[in-house]
Amino acid sequence: MEKNVIVGQSGGPTAAINSSLAGVYRTAKDRGAKKVFGMLHGIQGLLEERYIDLADHIKTELDAELLKRTPAAFLGSCRFKLPEIHEDREVYEKIFSILDKLEIEAFIYIGGNDSMDTIKKLSDYAIITGHPTRFVGCPKTIDNDLALTDHTPGYGSAAKYIGTSMKEIIRDSFCLEYNKGLVTIVEIMGRNAGWLTGAAALSKGEDCEGPDLIYLPELSFDIRKFGEKVQKLLGKKPSVVVAISEGIRTEEGKYVCELGNSVDFVDAFGHKQLSGTAAYLANYIAGELGCKTRAIELSTLQRSASHAASRVDILEAYQVGGAAVKAADEGDSGKMVVLQRLSDDPYQCGTEVKDVHKIANDEKLVPREWVNKEGTYVTNEFISYVRPLIQGDVSPVMVDGIPRHLYRPIELVRR
Amino acid sequence: MEKNVIVGQSGGPTAAINSSLAGVYRTAKDRGAKKVFGMLHGIQGLLEERYIDLADHIKTELDAELLKRTPAAFLGSCRFKLPEIHEDREVYEKIFSILDKLEIEAFIYIGGNDSMDTIKKLSDYAIITGHPTRFVGCPKTIDNDLALTDHTPGYGSAAKYIGTSMKEIIRDSFCLEYNKGLVTIVEIMGRNAGWLTGAAALSKGEDCEGPDLIYLPELSFDIRKFGEKVQKLLGKKPSVVVAISEGIRTEEGKYVCELGNSVDFVDAFGHKQLSGTAAYLANYIAGELGCKTRAIELSTLQRSASHAASRVDILEAYQVGGAAVKAADEGDSGKMVVLQRLSDDPYQCGTEVKDVHKIANDEKLVPREWVNKEGTYVTNEFISYVRPLIQGDVSPVMVDGIPRHLYRPIELVRR
């Protein structure tokens, strides 16, 4: 490398997205990049010429270690899909003029499906216009739904958090005895893909029963059958714990949380918020069975729990960041780094580079054969798949009793 | 000690309640107790003669260490208030006949206010009837509302978890930019006392802004003023994070969550569940200001997060368990162990024994002078008070990527 690199983060944050950023920075510097810029709030921020020089923030190796232990997107993120090139050339001309001004040799984008779409479009435009900048994508998402990669950075830590929290929730649920029993419904992220919800099964072991039922969004949800199963379980045990995806839908395709008539679950723009699935089901069960219920939404905690991150996840996220820069430096463009599982036992994983045209917009769902026949639990194959991804810890750097993060003062913006 | 000890756990579970149990067991054995029994589900279970021999479960020192890292109540818990002696002598006769059968020399009860009431009544009955068994209470609650003790075991770990999670929530809240901003409302436990909610301030430091507003239940909540404050903040920053207690009430004394007309928040018995305060306020703000909102309930996670427990808390919980046995062995009865802060800098704390008649039913609330004038944040005195209680970590024993607990198979009960 001779000139500069620019990197951005896009889509929902994870506990590993900053580890990828640290990997990009390290490898870019090692390979001779003069400056490494970070676009603030992804491509949307870049269009407004909002960026920082990462050398002003990652000043020492300790800073890099803190960055790996910092949740959420250090550079800020965005949900922004570029228009098709023929629809709006001006946007592309603007982006490329900024890249020229900053002398960008390599553009690295850390994100999910929409981000790979951005890489695709920008690299296509570079080809059309004969522009030398290389565009490489770095995978990221807690949902684990990116095609062509064995798994995505961010998933392992979220899965570890879910397994750990489910275990604590289950232990807590057996403390007090209720006349008609207790049913706890735990709502987990994953609108379409059940990779996260299935991770609830990680709580099961020699020292924990695990959840009683797990409902993934890939299969249609029958609320009546659900009620019957819960009733049957309550006949045998004082506490029943159920893990559900926020995105479970009825046979007719309606989100379960939309079945409630409460206006509490529609936001000011009329957007249906998927929150409230657990609350709705808890209320349904309480009404049907007369038992005590509890609804727990893991919410953003499951994607920002750096204090409980998986070492395998953080290391792999760092590696894919570096691999993206390496690929760009070696001339690759319009590519995404993927993780390739080389073996299971022992677990070994390497990176590869794939054509981003093959990936974008293709969602990887949990295969039907990794869910049991009744659709109420995941199989041992699922658990074996995810188990290696949650191994090892990343001890937080504690300051005064609370984990330390790498901090970038937020612009206070007047609206 | 020459004969046997029995110990029970009562009230809501914490991340430290099992450390107290481990302390009781160790000291009882060291002081010569033959058997140490554990009543299952507190005094309620004892009345049904449900108990175990702890030697069958705490077989090694490793088991004791795992017990300290196990959340929820290992023996199970109950919410059961004994009747007055003159109201129902039979209950007392039954309990004491069981104690005689098991040759109980000391009865230790780990719990909050109701549990100290149990100790009071049983020790009074022993005095009336000239019975030799000694009754000593061991404090416990995440709410920190027990009188006469500087703080309660369980509080430090919950406070540490809340500070850690708030920090992660705040970082996450700045990732994506929304047109009209984002308001996140985090609901924290503590129906009457704001000790836990105030702990949200622990997230503030060199590397984090901390929450913008903190609303404790000790002060009446004005929803209109709240909306105005949030609106003003949104004019200056893209994300506003608010910590509220589940128990905040209006000037008229009505719980804020009851202001919603949704039937979702009443359980099958007509009991008003205090859940939903954050959801209600998020909905209110979305309606008033048109911004995006998010409601996060820390729920039972805040009381069962052993994976993130405070070392000071776990150690002190262990010490008070042992101190309770020591007191009983030395002839004390009708007493409770309390924690006494000997100095702040350096932090030093010891145990003392107090007359349980002075403690029971007296709730310790956050002093008004530890909250700012507007009632929207806690003072430095509050933070200095809680800071030493969250120091140090208790590394989980990881097995296959998930923390290991000490497990007692649950009786599968037919209802």
Side-chain angles (χ1 to χ4, degrees):
Chain A
M1 261 173 188
E2 289 167 348
K3 297 183 190 170
N4 303 326
V5 172
I6 193 163
V7 56
Q9 296 170 319
S10 160
T14 76
I17 194 176
N18 289 330
S19 191
S20 290
L21 178 64
V24 166
Y25 183 73
R26 174 83 276 127
T27 300
K29 282 299 193 181
D30 285 351
R31 284 179 163 257
K34 291 202 169 54
K35 285 186 190 283
V36 183
F37 294 106
M39 50 189 106
L40 299 182
H41 296 284
I43 196 81
Q44 204 164 13
L46 184 63
L47 276 161
E48 297 162 11
E49 295 194 61
R50 294 160 70 193
Y51 55 85
I52 55 172
D53 183 338
L54 279 169
D56 294 336
H57 298 267
I58 310 174
K59 299 197 195 74
T60 65
E61 280 171 28
L62 176 61
D63 285 342
E65 284 302 317
L66 288 175
L67 183 57
K68 289 181 195 173
R69 291 159 172 76
T70 300
F74 184 78
L75 298 175
S77 188
C78 67
R79 291 198 192 278
F80 186 83
K81 202 158 174 172
L82 281 174
E84 297 295 331
I85 296 170
H86 64 263
E87 284 171 358
D88 189 349
R89 266 192 105 99
E90 261 188 56
V91 168
Y92 291 84
E93 285 162 7
K94 171 118 209 226
I95 292 171
F96 276 75
S97 76
I98 295 167
L99 297 183
D100 286 340
K101 187 169 95 175
L102 296 178
E103 294 183 78
I104 301 301
E105 198 173 328
F107 177 113
I108 310 295
Y109 214 44
I110 308 168
N113 264 320
D114 284 354
S115 319
M116 299 309 117
D117 181 74
T118 296
I119 288 293
K120 179 169 74 98
K121 285 166 173 157
L122 292 175
S123 61
D124 284 349
Y125 186 82
I127 288 171
I128 294 168
T129 55
H131 198 280
T133 302
R134 276 95 64 201
F135 298 83
V136 180
C138 187
K140 167 244 72 166
T141 173
I142 56 169
D143 293 319
N144 200 40
D145 59 354
L146 264 185
L148 293 190
T149 177
D150 179 86
H151 56 278
T152 53
Y155 173 59
S157 293
K160 188 181 184 84
Y161 174 81
I162 288 164
T164 298
S165 298
M166 283 301 299
K167 202 167 170 177
E168 292 170 346
I169 287 168
I170 291 166
R171 280 279 63 73
D172 186 291
S173 78
F174 280 103
C175 273
L176 290 160
E177 292 182 312
Y178 298 93
N179 259 351
K180 298 195 179 183
L182 167 68
V183 176
T184 304
I185 317 236
V186 184
E187 183 175 320
I188 296 168
M189 280 179 169
R191 192 169 283 239
N192 298 316
W195 298 103
L196 283 174
T197 308
L202 292 166
S203 57
K204 185 172 182 166
E206 297 171 329
D207 59 334
C208 186
E209 309 79 352
D212 294 284
L213 303 163
I214 300 177
Y215 290 97
L216 309 194
E218 284 89 343
L219 306 174
S220 67
F221 184 79
D222 183 325
I223 198 168
R224 205 184 40 82
K225 277 192 182 155
F226 166 67
E228 287 167 6
K229 281 201 191 301
V230 169
Q231 184 165 39
K232 201 167 171 194
L233 284 162
L234 267 192
K236 299 182 209 164
K237 49 196 307 201
S239 160
V240 173
V241 179
V242 183
I244 56 146
S245 154
E246 62 181 344
I248 50 173
R249 283 174 293 267
T250 63
E251 185 100 49
E252 296 78 38
K254 199 169 181 183
Y255 284 116
V256 167
C257 56
E258 291 180 340
L259 294 176
N261 51 6
S262 164
V263 297
D264 288 355
F265 306 111
V266 177
D267 72 21
F269 300 100
H271 293 157
K272 283 165 185 167
Q273 295 193 308
L274 284 201
S275 270
T277 310
Y280 176 78
L281 288 178
N283 196 47
Y284 172 81
I285 291 292
E288 288 290 305
L289 306 183
C291 60
K292 174 146 172 95
T293 60
R294 188 173 284 141
I296 301 177
E297 281 181 36
L298 296 185
S299 193
T300 58
L301 296 169
Q302 66 202 288
R303 71 182 187 193
S304 59
S306 282
H307 74 277
S310 149
R311 175 162 284 271
V312 164
D313 187 21
I314 298 301
L315 279 182
E316 289 180 353
Y318 188 82
Q319 283 163 1
V320 299
V325 172
K326 177 175 184 281
D329 195 26
E330 292 174 347
D332 277 317
S333 190
K335 300 282 200 299
M336 173 175 104
V337 176
V338 300
L339 285 164
Q340 203 174 51
R341 191 181 301 224
L342 306 165
S343 68
D344 259 313
D345 201 358
Y347 170 73
Q348 287 187 73
C349 195
T351 62
E352 252 210 25
V353 165
K354 298 263 179 187
D355 184 345
V356 84
H357 292 81
K358 295 197 176 124
I359 294 156
N361 302 324
D362 210 5
E363 231 172 10
K364 189 172 80 187
L365 305 178
V366 175
R368 181 63 185 87
E369 57 272 21
W370 281 13
V371 184
N372 69 1
K373 206 167 120 208
E374 303 93 349
T376 58
Y377 217 83
V378 292
T379 65
N380 286 338
E381 281 93 344
F382 181 103
I383 295 169
S384 300
Y385 162 83
V386 68
R387 187 67 75 175
L389 313 182
I390 69 165
Q391 298 302 317
D393 320 306
V394 182
S395 306
V397 174
M398 292 305 227
V399 173
D400 236 359
I402 300 286
R404 169 71 66 152
H405 297 157
L406 190 70
Y407 180 60
R408 175 177 67 80
I410 302 298
E411 293 168 72
L412 296 182
V413 177
R414 193 174 303 278
R415 294 184 179 286
Chain B
M1 260 173 190
E2 287 166 350
K3 296 181 191 170
N4 303 325
V5 173
I6 193 163
V7 55
Q9 297 171 317
S10 160
T14 76
I17 194 176
N18 289 330
S19 190
S20 290
L21 177 63
V24 166
Y25 184 74
R26 173 84 276 128
T27 300
K29 284 297 194 183
D30 287 350
R31 286 179 161 260
K34 290 201 170 52
K35 284 186 190 282
V36 183
F37 295 105
M39 51 189 105
L40 299 181
H41 299 283
I43 196 81
Q44 203 164 12
L46 184 64
L47 276 162
E48 296 162 13
E49 296 196 60
R50 295 160 70 192
Y51 55 86
I52 55 172
D53 182 340
L54 280 167
D56 294 335
H57 297 266
I58 310 173
K59 300 197 194 73
T60 64
E61 279 171 29
L62 176 62
D63 285 341
E65 284 301 317
L66 289 175
L67 182 57
K68 289 181 194 172
R69 290 159 173 75
T70 300
F74 184 78
L75 299 176
S77 189
C78 67
R79 293 197 191 279
F80 186 84
K81 202 156 172 173
L82 282 175
E84 298 294 331
I85 297 170
H86 63 264
E87 283 172 358
D88 189 349
R89 264 193 107 98
E90 260 188 55
V91 168
Y92 291 85
E93 284 163 9
K94 171 118 209 227
I95 291 170
F96 277 76
S97 76
I98 295 167
L99 298 183
D100 285 340
K101 188 169 94 175
L102 297 178
E103 294 185 79
I104 300 301
E105 198 172 328
F107 177 112
I108 310 296
Y109 214 44
I110 307 167
N113 262 319
D114 283 355
S115 319
M116 298 311 117
D117 181 74
T118 296
I119 290 292
K120 177 168 77 97
K121 285 166 172 155
L122 293 174
S123 62
D124 284 348
Y125 186 82
I127 288 172
I128 294 168
T129 56
H131 197 280
T133 302
R134 275 95 65 201
F135 298 83
V136 179
C138 188
K140 168 243 74 169
T141 174
I142 57 169
D143 293 319
N144 200 39
D145 60 354
L146 264 185
L148 293 191
T149 178
D150 179 85
H151 55 280
T152 52
Y155 174 59
S157 292
K160 189 182 183 83
Y161 174 80
I162 288 164
T164 298
S165 298
M166 282 302 299
K167 202 167 172 178
E168 293 171 345
I169 288 168
I170 291 165
R171 281 278 61 74
D172 186 292
S173 79
F174 280 103
C175 274
L176 290 160
E177 291 181 312
Y178 298 94
N179 260 351
K180 297 197 180 185
L182 166 69
V183 176
T184 304
I185 317 241
V186 184
E187 183 175 320
I188 297 167
M189 280 178 169
R191 192 169 283 238
N192 298 317
W195 297 103
L196 283 174
T197 308
L202 292 166
S203 56
K204 185 172 182 167
E206 297 170 329
D207 60 334
C208 185
E209 308 79 353
D212 294 284
L213 302 163
I214 301 177
Y215 290 97
L216 308 195
E218 284 89 344
L219 306 175
S220 68
F221 184 80
D222 183 326
I223 198 169
R224 204 182 42 80
K225 277 192 185 158
F226 166 67
E228 288 167 4
K229 282 201 192 298
V230 169
Q231 184 164 38
K232 202 165 170 199
L233 283 161
L234 269 190
K236 300 183 211 162
K237 52 195 307 201
S239 160
V240 173
V241 180
V242 183
I244 56 145
S245 154
E246 62 180 344
I248 49 173
R249 283 173 293 266
T250 63
E251 185 100 48
E252 296 78 40
K254 200 169 180 180
Y255 284 115
V256 167
C257 57
E258 290 181 340
L259 295 175
N261 52 8
S262 165
V263 296
D264 289 356
F265 306 111
V266 177
D267 73 21
F269 300 100
H271 293 156
K272 283 164 185 165
Q273 295 193 308
L274 285 200
S275 273
T277 309
Y280 176 77
L281 287 177
N283 195 48
Y284 172 80
I285 290 293
E288 288 290 306
L289 307 184
C291 60
K292 175 150 171 95
T293 60
R294 187 174 285 142
I296 302 177
E297 282 183 35
L298 295 186
S299 194
T300 58
L301 296 169
Q302 68 201 286
R303 72 182 186 193
S304 59
S306 282
H307 74 279
S310 149
R311 175 164 283 272
V312 164
D313 186 22
I314 299 302
L315 278 183
E316 288 180 352
Y318 188 82
Q319 284 164 1
V320 297
V325 172
K326 178 174 181 284
D329 195 25
E330 291 174 348
D332 277 316
S333 190
K335 300 284 201 295
M336 174 175 101
V337 176
V338 299
L339 287 163
Q340 202 172 52
R341 192 180 300 223
L342 305 165
S343 67
D344 260 313
D345 200 358
Y347 170 73
Q348 287 187 72
C349 195
T351 62
E352 252 212 23
V353 164
K354 298 264 179 188
D355 184 343
V356 83
H357 293 80
K358 295 198 175 125
I359 295 156
N361 302 323
D362 211 5
E363 231 171 11
K364 189 171 80 187
L365 306 178
V366 175
R368 180 63 185 87
E369 56 271 21
W370 282 12
V371 183
N372 69 0
K373 207 166 120 211
E374 303 92 348
T376 58
Y377 217 83
V378 291
T379 65
N380 287 337
E381 283 93 344
F382 181 103
I383 296 168
S384 300
Y385 163 82
V386 69
R387 187 68 74 176
L389 313 181
I390 69 165
Q391 299 303 316
D393 321 305
V394 182
S395 306
V397 174
M398 293 304 227
V399 174
D400 237 357
I402 300 287
R404 170 70 67 152
H405 297 158
L406 190 69
Y407 179 61
R408 177 178 65 80
I410 302 299
E411 292 170 74
L412 296 182
V413 177
R414 193 175 303 279
R415 295 184 178 286

